[in-house]
Amino acid sequence: MLKRAFDIIVSSIGLIFLTPLFLVIAYLIKKEDSGPVFYRGIRVGKYGKPFRIYKFRTMIVDAEKIGGPSTADDDPRITKIGRFLRKYKIDELPQLINVLKGEMSIVGPRPEVPFYVNMFTEEEKKILTVKPGITDWASLWNPDEGAILAGSPDPEKTYMEKIRPTKIKLQLKYVNEHSFLTDLKIIFLTVLTVITKKKYINEEK
């Protein structure tokens, strides 16, 4: 109950204060290629329920038709404004809408596409017992997946080998140990990570 109340308050205030910024970003996205402002890809939520995520579109229209779900920083599908939005995680801010709707939480395992969720083992399915979030331990361990994937001849294989194992480990850690105080700590560290571009936890966290 406390977590949901916190989510409603933070997402509501955030959306109100960020509206001017959202309008500027929407204008820049439309100006570059006149495509839709938001990316509304399908993600898997609590108990396996699918929902459409809100993100500022950072790639060309219909990018998913010419590439996989893992995106490297040097992916040619990324637009000019998209590179800026990704660098400062601004493209994630519209997910406050998902939080307000109750589909996501401020803190929780990052929501995955069905392709990766279908790979979950029985133990990993525990990740689906909590709402997905905008940030979590895994996000702090690896705040820029694109940088790791950059230059890889096979981004999907690199993701599966270098990112997914630790990501799953940290998401399970959150599920098993989460509390409101833990959420506050993760939010604080997330803000520091975005501002300083430093990592504040390692894979042993």
Side-chain angles (χ1 to χ4, degrees):
M1 183 66 72
L2 178 61
K3 183 178 178 70
R4 179 56 185 153
F6 179 81
D7 284 343
I8 292 174
I9 293 172
V10 172
S11 60
S12 297
I13 294 175
L15 288 170
I16 290 172
F17 280 95
L18 290 171
T19 294
L21 175 62
F22 280 18
L23 292 175
V24 172
I25 293 171
Y27 169 76
L28 294 174
I29 292 174
K30 297 291 285 187
K31 181 181 179 181
E32 181 165 353
D33 67 2
S34 72
V37 171
F38 294 114
Y39 166 73
R40 299 295 316 281
I42 295 177
R43 295 293 185 271
V44 180
K46 189 175 182 180
Y47 301 136
K49 183 178 180 180
F51 69 96
R52 288 194 174 275
I53 197 168
Y54 282 89
K55 297 179 71 172
F56 282 123
R57 182 173 60 85
T58 61
M59 305 179 78
I60 59 175
V61 177
D62 294 329
E64 67 277 3
K65 295 180 180 180
I66 56 175
S70 296
T71 309
D73 282 351
D74 57 355
D75 194 311
R77 296 175 296 171
I78 302 176
T79 61
K80 292 180 180 179
I81 181 63
R83 294 189 187 283
F84 174 80
L85 298 178
R86 283 172 175 262
K87 180 178 180 180
Y88 295 99
K89 302 299 182 183
I90 299 173
D91 60 313
E92 309 283 357
L93 293 178
Q95 287 164 47
L96 290 171
I97 299 173
N98 293 113
V99 174
L100 188 59
K101 292 173 65 179
E103 297 165 331
M104 291 178 61
S105 181
I106 297 296
V107 180
R110 291 294 298 151
E112 281 285 21
V113 297
F115 176 78
Y116 289 125
V117 172
N118 290 336
M119 298 180 185
F120 279 180
T121 63
E122 285 303 311
E123 181 185 12
E124 291 168 356
K125 288 179 181 178
K126 290 174 62 177
I127 294 170
L128 302 178
T129 62
V130 300
K131 285 184 182 179
I134 296 177
T135 185
D136 68 339
W137 288 129
S139 301
L140 293 171
W141 163 71
N142 183 21
D144 190 358
E145 289 185 0
I148 294 178
L149 301 177
S152 171
D154 189 343
E156 294 300 322
K157 182 179 179 181
T158 301
Y159 174 81
M160 294 297 295
E161 294 178 349
K162 295 186 176 182
I163 297 176
R164 189 174 184 273
T166 301
K167 184 176 181 178
I168 290 291
K169 174 184 174 182
L170 291 173
Q171 289 181 337
L172 285 171
K173 177 181 176 63
Y174 176 79
V175 171
N176 292 328
E177 303 175 3
H178 71 282
S179 68
F180 186 65
L181 289 178
T182 296
D183 284 5
L184 293 179
K185 180 178 180 180
I186 290 174
I187 291 171
F188 175 71
L189 291 176
T190 298
V191 173
L192 284 182
T193 299
V194 172
I195 294 174
T196 66
K197 298 300 179 183
K198 295 180 180 179
K199 289 177 62 174
Y200 290 90
I201 70 166
N202 56 44
E203 61 182 88
E204 301 301 324
K205 177 63 184 176

